Amino acid sequence: MTTQASDAIAYLGETFQIAEAAGTGLFDPSTHGLRPVMSSTACYRGFVCRYAVEASRLTLDGLLANHSSDGPPVASRYASGPAINGIASKQTDPRSWERLFNSCYEGLALPLQFTGAMLVGKDYSPSVPVRMGYTPAWKYLQVYELAFVSGTLTAVRDISEIMASVRDKLAASMDAN
């Protein structure tokens, strides 16, 4: 499996990648009339979310989707997804990596009722290579665990040092082999 495009989240005025999320209530494309299909080997699920935390509330701020109105395979690379939260989709920029998707949503401000936790990271560490699946939290130099109840941020824990320890142990085990 190719390294997968990960969801992102705006938090503390910066953009973090979501390395892992467990719980219920994150964005589900099917509840909004989207039928995403694989856009490339780098995005098997056919969509990528951009979340935001503002005033302790979790929202879906942006979305890239490879929507198929006819189901797989995609009948038209230029199909438009349905409006979400009153926002119409637009065609993606054919000169950017977003060209892998046919529907782009910006400024959604869609409130979510997520209850659970997510590990978010930034500043990718080049040590210990990972080339498949989603990038694990230990690959980032700055990592937070964010806990939510019904879409409200209830706890934040900086786990950067724990992830550094995991990286160090993995690097040492690779050096020993």
Side-chain angles (χ1 to χ4, degrees):
M1 175 191 288
T2 305
T3 300
Q4 295 296 292
S6 62
D7 292 338
I9 187 167
Y11 175 66
L12 298 176
E14 299 182 82
T15 300
F16 292 82
Q17 301 305 305
I18 299 176
E20 189 175 329
T24 59
L26 284 178
F27 179 73
D28 177 357
S30 67
T31 62
H32 296 276
L34 282 168
R35 296 192 332 192
V37 294
M38 184 175 86
S39 54
S40 81
T41 58
C43 189
Y44 280 105
R45 66 184 188 157
F47 69 98
V48 177
C49 297
R50 188 177 63 247
Y51 298 100
V53 175
E54 292 180 19
S56 297
R57 291 291 303 156
L58 180 66
T59 61
L60 177 69
D61 187 50
L63 175 69
L64 294 170
N66 195 35
H67 171 69
S68 174
S69 57
D70 300 319
V74 177
S76 168
R77 291 291 303 159
Y78 302 103
S80 294
I84 298 175
N85 206 28
I87 306 290
S89 70
K90 64 178 187 174
Q91 190 173 338
T92 56
D93 183 346
R95 297 164 299 187
S96 77
W97 78 276
E98 295 176 353
R99 72 185 177 282
L100 298 173
F101 305 91
N102 60 22
S103 297
C104 176
Y105 298 86
E106 295 176 356
L108 288 170
L110 179 68
L112 298 172
Q113 296 300 310
F114 178 63
T115 296
M118 58 177 69
L119 300 182
V120 303
K122 67 180 287 253
D123 300 329
Y124 190 77
S125 170
S127 68
V128 190
V130 173
R131 293 183 180 88
M132 300 173 78
Y134 290 97
T135 304
W138 53 263
K139 284 297 292 179
Y140 298 100
L141 300 176
Q142 186 177 3
V143 185
Y144 291 102
E145 178 182 43
L146 308 179
F148 296 87
V149 175
S150 298
T152 299
L153 182 64
T154 58
V156 177
R157 186 168 68 131
D158 185 341
I159 60 170
S160 302
E161 287 184 25
I162 295 169
M163 295 298 111
S165 175
V166 170
R167 262 191 320 278
D168 292 345
K169 287 177 184 172
L170 287 168
S173 71
M174 290 180 76
D175 289 343
N177 290 329

